[in-house]
Amino acid sequence: MRLANKIAIITGSGSGIGQASAFLFAQEGAVVIVNDLDVQKGTDTVEQIRAAGGNAEFIRGDVTSPTDMELLVQEVIAKYGHIDVLFNNAGISGVGALHEIEPDTLDRILSINIKGVFIPSKYVLPHMMERKSGSIINMSSCIAEIGLARRASYAATKGAVLSLTKSMQVDYASYGIRVNALLPGTIMTPFVENYLRTSYEDPEAAIASLKTRQLSGDLGRPDDVAKAALFLASDDSKFMMGSPLYIDGGVVFGKNA
Ligand SMILES: NC(=O)c1ccc[n+]([C@@H]2O[C@H](COP(=O)([O-])OP(=O)(O)OC[C@H]3O[C@@H](n4cnc5c(N)ncnc54)[C@H](O)[C@@H]3O)[C@@H](O)[C@H]2O)c1
């Protein structure tokens, strides 16, 4: 019970890595606030947590909307009095070399992936500052560290999240708040399945090729990242501040040939 009685908000937790983290955090004793844009996915996640004996509730909201996020935080504070963990997980993919990306698409990716970290944090931080305690986990990606073909917009957002994490850590360290980043490699989630389906003629061949990029020889699973998120959320990582945590099957630091 590494998160016993902790109040944890996880954005975009109706699917993939966020959902796996919601399941794991609840198993470890947290009250999980499941946030997502998608009501069906969010309520399904909460039902599954409750069926397994955990404690969770769904609050719909768009991470880019100051109104939605302010209301979400107000609702959590009114009911539970404090917030221990904020996992800024919601994000979308962006495929294409720079000249192929439409300005509107770029705005959407920048908004969800960067502003979507900034806005929930803005409303949660004053409550953590007041209690002089809290853990914020920002979802970056190993793409922040390496060049990958046709991911210009997405890579830019995940690099920004890593930089933002370091600046946030400096500003809030004196309030007892830790801010760290997760840098996953390729993890099999609906996000990646959709990207494979829409970007490659032969998704199976694409998966085989992606696997060769990993030293592990296989892609990651949502639970691999959820376990790293649990570590950052809990006091087990109390000496980690402003750090990137890689869960990438060796993509960043390894070489296969
Ligand atoms: N899957 C990977 O290989 C991988 C690798 C590195 C980083 N990431 C990052 O991990 C995070 C989660 O990815 P995933 O693969 O689990 O994706 P996913 O698509 O399975 O889940 C993302 C969830 O976020 C929700 N969401 C999207 N926009 C939102 C918004 N504006 N407000 C609230 N919720 C919103 C979606 O409805 C969805 O349920 C993303 O930030 C992604 O960039 C994923």
Side-chain angles (χ1 to χ4, degrees):
M1 286 288 174
R2 280 187 281 174
L3 297 180
N5 305 318
K6 302 271 189 200
I7 311 300
I9 299 171
I10 308 179
T11 67
S13 49
S15 171
I17 295 167
Q19 185 186 55
S21 303
F23 292 154
L24 189 59
F25 284 22
Q27 262 175 43
E28 292 287 334
V31 175
V32 182
I33 311 303
V34 172
N35 155 262
D36 209 286
L37 264 184
D38 189 312
V39 176
Q40 189 64 51
K41 288 182 186 170
T43 47
D44 282 355
T45 303
V46 166
E47 272 171 28
Q48 289 185 61
I49 291 173
R50 290 183 181 159
N55 200 342
E57 66 179 272
F58 174 61
I59 305 180
R60 190 195 172 276
D62 181 340
V63 289
T64 68
S65 159
T67 312
D68 283 6
M69 290 302 108
E70 190 174 16
L71 283 173
L72 181 147
V73 170
Q74 278 172 2
E75 202 176 322
V76 176
I77 292 296
K79 188 157 180 189
Y80 301 103
H82 68 278
I83 296 162
D84 299 289
V85 178
L86 170 64
F87 181 7
N88 286 310
N89 164 76
I92 58 168
S93 68
V95 181
L98 194 148
H99 71 280
E100 298 167 330
I101 300 164
E102 293 304 327
D104 286 353
T105 311
L106 176 66
D107 281 346
R108 188 158 173 266
I109 296 165
L110 296 179
S111 180
I112 296 177
N113 291 7
I114 304 176
K115 208 171 150 193
V117 172
F118 196 97
I119 298 291
S121 305
K122 173 177 169 54
Y123 294 106
V124 167
L125 273 161
H127 299 283
M128 290 184 167
M129 289 162 74
E130 202 181 308
R131 295 184 83 224
K132 289 204 167 286
S133 142
S135 173
I136 297 183
I137 304 159
N138 292 335
M139 182 57 94
S140 177
S141 162
C142 75
I143 206 168
E145 302 277 17
I146 54 175
L148 275 185
R150 305 189 69 244
R151 306 285 203 293
S153 57
Y154 182 70
T157 66
K158 294 304 182 180
V161 170
L162 186 54
S163 299
L164 177 61
T165 301
K166 294 171 190 173
S167 287
M168 285 170 72
Q169 181 61 89
V170 172
D171 286 341
Y172 300 107
S174 61
Y175 292 95
I177 299 167
R178 296 185 304 108
V179 190
N180 293 291
L182 290 172
L183 280 74
T186 308
I187 312 294
M188 278 311 276
T189 65
F191 167 106
V192 166
E193 283 156 19
N194 180 44
Y195 150 74
L196 288 169
R197 251 197 328 272
T198 53
S199 313
Y200 294 93
E201 273 178 24
D202 183 351
E204 287 308 316
I207 292 181
S209 142
L210 282 174
K211 283 182 179 174
T212 63
R213 206 167 66 195
Q214 326 280 134
L215 289 185
S216 61
D218 198 1
L219 303 183
R221 300 289 178 268
D223 212 36
D224 296 324
V225 186
K227 286 174 185 162
L230 171 63
F231 172 63
L232 292 181
S234 76
D235 291 342
D236 288 351
S237 60
K238 66 179 170 31
F239 204 50
M240 283 188 72
M241 300 179 82
S243 296
L245 180 56
Y246 301 87
I247 321 102
D248 69 346
V251 166
V252 172
F253 296 113
K255 281 218 185 303
N256 255 343

